[in-house]
Structure formats: C-alpha cells, structure tokens
Amino acid sequence: MTITTTSAADLSTALQAGDLTSVEVTGAYLDRIAAEDGELGAYLHVDADAALAAAEAVDAARVAGRDLGPLAGVPMALKDVVVTEGVPTTSGSRILEGWRPPYDATLAAKLKAAGTVLLGKTNMDEFAMGSSTENSAYRITRNPWDHSRIPGGSSGGSSAAVAGGLAPWSIGTDTGGSIRQPAAVTGLVGHKPTYGSVSRYGLIAFSSSLDQAGPMTRTVLDAALLHEAIAGHDPYDSTSIDSPVPVLAEAARRGAEGELAGLTVGVVRELGGEGHAEGYEPGVLARFQEAVALLESMGAEVREVSCPAFDLALPAYYLIAPSEASSNLARFDGVRYGLRAGDDGSRDLDEVMALTREQGFGPEVKRRIILGAYALSAGYYDAYYGQAQKVRTLITRNFAAAYADVDVLVSPTMPTVAFPLGSRVDDPIAMYAADLCTLPASLAGVPAISVPCGLSEGLPVGFQVMAPALADDRCYRVAAALEAAQDAARGHRLLDELGRTAPGSAA
Ligand code: GLN
C-alpha cells in the first residue's frame, strides 16, 4: 500500500488492524510535504514535531488497548480559516499574521477528540474571497494536475494538499462554492453541508448566513466519514441546527452498490442546459451529460427542471456576501488581533486603525468591503441589499418547487476546467463567473456535493448533486453510485491518473 495515495477509510482500517502506525502514516505525509510543498504551495503552516508527537500519543494509546475511535491516528489538514489553539491562523491575510488563537473551533476540537493528527493549515484566498487562491496574502498554490493552473478557491490549499498526496483529506469552507469548485478542478470529492449542520464556531467569518465547513477527500466514503466527524448541534453557534448527526457513510456505502431505481434526478436547465450554455466548455458539458446517462443506466429517472431565478444568483451573491463581509471584517482594527500599523505615538486611534486596515487587507478584500458598505448604505439599501435578499427568496422557492418533483438536482460544478494561474486575477467579473453553478445551493442553504466525472483536456471535471436541506445523505448516495460506476469502468480511481499526467505529483 502506498500510504500517500490510499483513501482515509483504508488508512483507518490499517491503523485499527495494527498494520500501520500513525507515526508511519504521518511521517509519510510529512516527507511528501517536505519534498513537494515548496513547489505546490498547499500549506501556510506545518509543524512536523507537533504532528509526530500527536501521532506517537495515538499509537501509544492504541498499544495500551485504549478505546479509540475509527479516525484515531489518521492525519488531516485544516483550511487556515479554522481557528486552532496555539497554532497560527491567518485566514490568508496579513492582518492576522502571527496570531495564535487561544481556542479551537468546534470542528477542530471534534477532530482532535477523534484522535486525528493535524498536519498543518492550508493556503486560501484572503478571508475566503476568491476562486483561485491567488488572493492569498502569502503565496500561490498550484494545481497538482498541471502546475501552471489554479487549484480552485478559496480552499485551494486544501484541494492541492489532498490531490497532491500531501494530506489524506482536509477541511475546507464554502460560502459560494469554495469547497466544491476546488474539489472539482483537482479531481476530489467536496461537500458543502446543509447550512447550520456543521458548527461555524471558530471559523473566521466571511459571510455568516452562507459560510459552511465541509470535507474535501479522495473518495465519497471518506467525505461521508469526515462529515460525520464534524457535524452536530453546537450551542456556541446561534444558527446551528438542533438535529441528530446525519447517517452519511451508510448512504455512501449503499450508493456504491449502484442501484438508483426510484430516484428522480432533475437536470437544471439554467446551469449549462439549452439556451444557458454560454461560457461552459464543451468538454465539461460532455462529461456532465455522460454522467447523467450513467445515473439513468443505474435506474434513476432523469428529467429537466427549470429554476429561472438561478440566473440571478451571481449578482445577488455578490451583493449579499460583500455586505456581510463589510460588517464581519470591521473587527479587524489593529487593536484586538494581529497586525497593528503606525502605533508609534504620532497617530491617534482612528489613524492607527485606518493604517492597519490599509496595510493589512489585500485588494480583493478592500473591494468587497467597499462594495458591501455601499450596498448597505442609507438610500441604496433597498435597491441593492434588499433586492438581493428578494432574489435569494426566489431561488429558495425555485428549489422548493423543484424538490416537489425530483429528489436531487444536478449540474456541472464549474463551467470550465482549471484555468491558468494569472488569467483571471485582474478581472474580478471573470473570476466571479467561476461560481455560477455553486451559488444557488449556497444562497438557499441546501447541501451540495461535487464528485469527479472524468477529464476534459486532461483536467478533472466535477459533477454537482444538490439535495433538500438536511437530506445530505442523498448527495452521498448519488455521488457514490456515480463514483463506483466510473471507477469500475475505468479500472482505477480518477485521482490515480495524476501520477501519470503530472510526474512527481503523486507517489
Ligand atoms: N468565490 C466566491 C467568492 O469569492 C466564493 C468563495 C467562498 O465560497 N468562500 O466569494
């Protein structure tokens, strides 16, 4: 078994059986990080000694016969938006450089309690604003499939780490697509849970009514296992849903049996269908249609569904998210956290705050703050923010109407494959268009998964499955069926082709 290409589920089995130790697994990943991350740029912070110490502690507990959970000893990586006690956390921003939080986010605490080993914190667009990870204040991240291309964003460090064999799985966050889109362009599985089902406590807030954390993994089963480990009600998060942790791994295992009789699948016309295919690459649409045909061959009933308000998701999102960001980011004032600029006695408080924000925030973050403050300002609120909220309601109604007829909705995850680094970073509108397909589920708070559905021009394409709120299990069932059928036809996992196409990217 090559440790760094194995699924997390298989690593867990080997660890429990005593065939591998956590020190061996963690060491193998740390070696690859040391060898590859200079080029790939997936991580912002790695503490090898701390990771090995945590791995040793799990191994010792296992030898002592202590009752450990199934994930104990499996390493993982966290997007740097997740607050970790004593471990640097920047959210990709200069304004938080050097900050070591005094507490763990709920999901980090859950993963720690489960015995997982933190390899490091992954690179991201500053405050999760972006679709390519090029807005990080620290470094760019390369796509393991083609080092001249983006790994997606904003969770591009998390996607590159897993696709490149630098972590078995990782946590990302998704406000408008930042788990699903990077998963799609790196050949991974990425799931955005139902809003409110994974705690936001300790996630550095971007847009509070949209932010959700979720798994980024090599297989659907891995995503289900990691999702189950972080889900659940949290009294520290006022929007946390008080319902039982969903049964997801079971849904993934059942889905992999490939029986979809009785399931109705709606293909969303507005996301790449007839009359709405402008900007969609032919190769992406071809892979998508082949996957739909595969679902049909497994017994699913397929019909086209129209959700007209989805056409307005992009402008609505780019008013609502910046509005909430402009409010959330007001806390970065140079007084409470991280950077403080110009505090040499010559300036008053307002000047120090202004200088800190001037130096601490990058151009995209400033653009969002200005946009959001404008959309919320007296006289413009109704025309912009209020109007966008009405569109949000229409999108939610479109989903509700569709789910009266179908069990899940499907679309491509992104209109294109990974684009070249540098090609959109100076063109915000083109960058925002990367989120066309992922935004509706974000605005409605419903769950959505991206699962690989083949290659176009040698690069991965993602297939998106959306389900009603709290029916995340349906996403896993359909994604697992698709994954199993495609893996069987191919004879191997899509990710296993990475070693052949990008030498040195997967050991
Ligand atoms: N790309 C979108 C944005 O820039 C979504 C980001 C995200 O989901 N965090 O806002």
mmCIF file of all heavy atoms in Angstrom, residues 128-131 154 173-178 206 317-318 368 435, ligand 1:
data_model
loop_
_atom_site.group_PDB
_atom_site.id
_atom_site.type_symbol
_atom_site.label_atom_id
_atom_site.label_comp_id
_atom_site.label_asym_id
_atom_site.label_seq_id
_atom_site.Cartn_x
_atom_site.Cartn_y
_atom_site.Cartn_z
ATOM 1 N N ALA A 128 -11.208 33.960 2.484
ATOM 2 C CA ALA A 128 -12.031 33.052 1.652
ATOM 3 C C ALA A 128 -12.715 33.770 0.493
ATOM 4 O O ALA A 128 -13.724 33.301 -0.029
ATOM 5 C CB ALA A 128 -13.049 32.280 2.493
ATOM 6 N N MET A 129 -12.149 34.916 0.088
ATOM 7 C CA MET A 129 -12.731 35.681 -1.017
ATOM 8 C C MET A 129 -11.945 35.408 -2.293
ATOM 9 O O MET A 129 -10.877 35.976 -2.500
ATOM 10 C CB MET A 129 -12.694 37.170 -0.693
ATOM 11 C CG MET A 129 -13.542 37.515 0.521
ATOM 12 S SD MET A 129 -13.264 39.211 1.014
ATOM 13 C CE MET A 129 -14.214 39.249 2.539
ATOM 14 N N GLY A 130 -12.489 34.535 -3.126
ATOM 15 C CA GLY A 130 -11.824 34.249 -4.383
ATOM 16 C C GLY A 130 -12.147 32.858 -4.874
ATOM 17 O O GLY A 130 -12.808 32.068 -4.181
ATOM 18 N N SER A 131 -11.685 32.551 -6.079
ATOM 19 C CA SER A 131 -11.984 31.254 -6.700
ATOM 20 C C SER A 131 -10.716 30.594 -7.235
ATOM 21 O O SER A 131 -10.796 29.648 -8.015
ATOM 22 C CB SER A 131 -12.955 31.451 -7.868
ATOM 23 O OG SER A 131 -14.113 32.136 -7.422
ATOM 24 N N SER A 154 -12.021 29.219 -2.705
ATOM 25 C CA SER A 154 -10.922 29.725 -1.905
ATOM 26 C C SER A 154 -10.155 28.645 -1.152
ATOM 27 O O SER A 154 -9.076 28.916 -0.651
ATOM 28 C CB SER A 154 -11.462 30.746 -0.901
ATOM 29 O OG SER A 154 -12.380 30.123 -0.003
ATOM 30 N N THR A 173 -13.896 25.410 3.563
ATOM 31 C CA THR A 173 -15.160 26.095 3.840
ATOM 32 C C THR A 173 -15.719 26.612 2.523
ATOM 33 O O THR A 173 -14.983 26.883 1.576
ATOM 34 C CB THR A 173 -15.017 27.273 4.828
ATOM 35 O OG1 THR A 173 -14.062 28.217 4.308
ATOM 36 C CG2 THR A 173 -14.582 26.792 6.191
ATOM 37 N N ASP A 174 -17.043 26.729 2.509
ATOM 38 C CA ASP A 174 -17.767 27.039 1.283
ATOM 39 C C ASP A 174 -18.786 28.126 1.613
ATOM 40 O O ASP A 174 -19.690 27.909 2.417
ATOM 41 C CB ASP A 174 -18.443 25.742 0.811
ATOM 42 C CG ASP A 174 -19.027 25.827 -0.589
ATOM 43 O OD1 ASP A 174 -19.743 26.801 -0.853
ATOM 44 O OD2 ASP A 174 -18.793 24.906 -1.391
ATOM 45 N N THR A 175 -18.614 29.296 1.010
ATOM 46 C CA THR A 175 -19.544 30.401 1.192
ATOM 47 C C THR A 175 -20.381 30.545 -0.083
ATOM 48 O O THR A 175 -21.582 30.802 -0.032
ATOM 49 C CB THR A 175 -18.767 31.693 1.499
ATOM 50 O OG1 THR A 175 -17.999 31.472 2.689
ATOM 51 C CG2 THR A 175 -19.682 32.890 1.694
ATOM 52 N N GLY A 176 -19.687 30.369 -1.221
ATOM 53 C CA GLY A 176 -20.384 30.424 -2.513
ATOM 54 C C GLY A 176 -19.912 29.322 -3.449
ATOM 55 O O GLY A 176 -20.265 29.305 -4.626
ATOM 56 N N GLY A 177 -19.072 28.434 -2.924
ATOM 57 C CA GLY A 177 -18.578 27.337 -3.777
ATOM 58 C C GLY A 177 -17.182 26.861 -3.428
ATOM 59 O O GLY A 177 -16.629 25.995 -4.105
ATOM 60 N N SER A 178 -16.596 27.410 -2.380
ATOM 61 C CA SER A 178 -15.164 27.221 -2.108
ATOM 62 C C SER A 178 -14.735 25.842 -1.636
ATOM 63 O O SER A 178 -13.543 25.602 -1.473
ATOM 64 C CB SER A 178 -14.676 28.259 -1.108
ATOM 65 O OG SER A 178 -14.549 29.497 -1.756
ATOM 66 N N PHE A 206 -16.726 35.120 7.035
ATOM 67 C CA PHE A 206 -16.740 35.889 5.788
ATOM 68 C C PHE A 206 -18.180 36.398 5.615
ATOM 69 O O PHE A 206 -18.458 37.579 5.812
ATOM 70 C CB PHE A 206 -16.262 34.977 4.652
ATOM 71 C CG PHE A 206 -16.542 35.434 3.235
ATOM 72 C CD1 PHE A 206 -16.978 36.717 2.931
ATOM 73 C CD2 PHE A 206 -16.338 34.559 2.173
ATOM 74 C CE1 PHE A 206 -17.224 37.114 1.618
ATOM 75 C CE2 PHE A 206 -16.587 34.945 0.852
ATOM 76 C CZ PHE A 206 -17.037 36.209 0.587
ATOM 77 N N TYR A 317 -25.561 37.089 -4.957
ATOM 78 C CA TYR A 317 -24.485 36.658 -4.061
ATOM 79 C C TYR A 317 -23.451 37.763 -3.891
ATOM 80 O O TYR A 317 -22.996 38.023 -2.769
ATOM 81 C CB TYR A 317 -23.808 35.396 -4.610
ATOM 82 C CG TYR A 317 -22.558 35.016 -3.846
ATOM 83 C CD1 TYR A 317 -22.640 34.232 -2.698
ATOM 84 C CD2 TYR A 317 -21.298 35.467 -4.247
ATOM 85 C CE1 TYR A 317 -21.501 33.896 -1.971
ATOM 86 C CE2 TYR A 317 -20.156 35.142 -3.538
ATOM 87 C CZ TYR A 317 -20.260 34.360 -2.403
ATOM 88 O OH TYR A 317 -19.122 34.050 -1.700
ATOM 89 N N TYR A 318 -23.080 38.414 -4.995
ATOM 90 C CA TYR A 318 -22.014 39.422 -4.907
ATOM 91 C C TYR A 318 -22.503 40.759 -4.343
ATOM 92 O O TYR A 318 -21.758 41.727 -4.300
ATOM 93 C CB TYR A 318 -21.272 39.544 -6.247
ATOM 94 C CG TYR A 318 -20.225 38.443 -6.330
ATOM 95 C CD1 TYR A 318 -20.454 37.273 -7.046
ATOM 96 C CD2 TYR A 318 -19.036 38.527 -5.605
ATOM 97 C CE1 TYR A 318 -19.517 36.239 -7.067
ATOM 98 C CE2 TYR A 318 -18.100 37.511 -5.618
ATOM 99 C CZ TYR A 318 -18.343 36.374 -6.356
ATOM 100 O OH TYR A 318 -17.419 35.362 -6.348
ATOM 101 N N ARG A 368 -14.375 44.162 -1.645
ATOM 102 C CA ARG A 368 -15.606 43.617 -1.052
ATOM 103 C C ARG A 368 -16.136 44.544 0.055
ATOM 104 O O ARG A 368 -17.342 44.718 0.197
ATOM 105 C CB ARG A 368 -15.362 42.229 -0.469
ATOM 106 C CG ARG A 368 -14.773 41.231 -1.455
ATOM 107 C CD ARG A 368 -15.808 40.501 -2.239
ATOM 108 N NE ARG A 368 -15.140 39.588 -3.159
ATOM 109 C CZ ARG A 368 -15.367 38.274 -3.220
ATOM 110 N NH1 ARG A 368 -16.257 37.719 -2.435
ATOM 111 N NH2 ARG A 368 -14.731 37.525 -4.094
ATOM 112 N N ASP A 435 -18.148 30.756 -10.127
ATOM 113 C CA ASP A 435 -19.087 30.292 -9.096
ATOM 114 C C ASP A 435 -20.515 30.132 -9.598
ATOM 115 O O ASP A 435 -21.429 29.868 -8.805
ATOM 116 C CB ASP A 435 -19.129 31.301 -7.935
ATOM 117 C CG ASP A 435 -17.765 31.603 -7.391
ATOM 118 O OD1 ASP A 435 -16.958 30.678 -7.318
ATOM 119 O OD2 ASP A 435 -17.500 32.771 -7.052
HETATM 120 N N1 GLN B 1 -15.575 32.553 -4.991
HETATM 121 C C1 GLN B 1 -16.615 33.049 -4.138
HETATM 122 C C2 GLN B 1 -16.204 34.372 -3.542
HETATM 123 O O1 GLN B 1 -15.194 34.843 -3.889
HETATM 124 C C3 GLN B 1 -16.930 32.051 -3.066
HETATM 125 C C4 GLN B 1 -15.897 31.977 -2.010
HETATM 126 C C5 GLN B 1 -16.222 31.023 -0.940
HETATM 127 O O2 GLN B 1 -17.052 30.132 -1.107
HETATM 128 N N2 GLN B 1 -15.583 31.217 0.194
HETATM 129 O O3 GLN B 1 -16.870 34.934 -2.739
#
